[in-house]
Structures are given as structure tokens and as C-alpha cells.
Amino acid sequence: MSILELIQTAEEKAEKMRQNANEQVKELLETTKINSEAEAKKMHLQAEKDLKALEIKFNEMINKEQINIDQKATTEDNLMVKDATKQFDAAIDFVLKKVIVK
């Protein structure tokens, strides 16, 4: 075999190796893209689940706080009613004295 034929054969082998390498790179890029998209989708779904769990927890906290506020307001209202009831007779006497005196 002549030197030119050896060089040509080597160049052909090198070209085939480059083509194979390019194909492998393309396949790896496609596989990486598919895996990345799948992982991103998985992370997105997990983030949505976490968000829903936080929303539920937040709503529970709001409901508990609302119950506490309502209970406190009811207690304060009851105390004001008791105080007003205690002073009811004195208020009636005061009004009657004003009406009768005039």
C-alpha cells in the first residue's frame, strides 16, 4: 500500500470516528435534555405539593386565630354585659329622678 493510500485510509477512519463522536454527543445531549426536563417536571410537581401544603397550613392558622379572636371578643362582650347589668338599676333610678324632678 502506498503512503497516499495509507493517509487516505487514516483520514477516512478519522472522519468515521468524528461522525461517531458527533452522533454520541447528539445522543448524550438528547438524553440529557430528556432527563433534565423530567427532573424539572418532578421538581415542579413537588413545589406545587409543597405550596398546597403551605396553603392548607396557613389557612388552618388563620382559622385558629379567627377562633381565638372570636372567643376573646365574646368574653369581652359578656363582661361588658355583666357590667351594664350591674349598673342597670342605678341607671333607671338616675333617669327616673331626672324625669320626676323636672
Side-chain angles (χ1 to χ4, degrees):
M1 214 185 244
S2 72
I3 293 178
L4 288 176
E5 289 174 335
L6 289 173
I7 292 172
Q8 187 178 5
T9 303
E11 286 177 348
E12 288 172 0
K13 285 182 181 178
E15 181 61 28
K16 286 182 183 178
M17 289 173 68
R18 275 192 292 274
Q19 288 175 355
N20 287 338
N22 283 336
E23 286 299 317
Q24 287 178 347
V25 167
K26 286 179 185 178
E27 288 174 10
L28 286 172
L29 287 173
E30 186 63 27
T31 301
T32 302
K33 179 182 175 187
I34 291 169
N35 290 342
S36 296
E37 288 173 352
E39 186 64 26
K41 185 175 181 178
K42 186 173 152 183
M43 290 171 65
H44 181 70
L45 290 173
Q46 185 60 46
E48 285 179 340
K49 286 180 186 177
D50 293 345
L51 179 61
K52 286 179 183 177
L54 282 173
E55 287 175 352
I56 290 169
K57 184 177 180 179
F58 184 68
N59 285 334
E60 288 172 354
M61 290 172 61
I62 289 174
N63 289 337
K64 285 179 184 177
E65 190 61 27
Q66 185 64 46
I67 290 169
N68 289 339
I69 290 170
D70 290 345
Q71 288 175 343
K72 185 176 179 181
T74 300
T75 301
E76 290 175 2
D77 288 349
N78 289 339
L79 288 173
M80 285 191 291
V81 167
K82 273 185 180 179
D83 288 344
T85 303
K86 288 179 186 176
Q87 297 175 5
F88 186 72
D89 291 337
I92 290 176
D93 289 343
F94 176 78
V95 170
L96 287 176
K97 286 181 185 175
K98 287 291 185 181
V99 171
I100 294 175
V101 172
K102 286 189 176 184

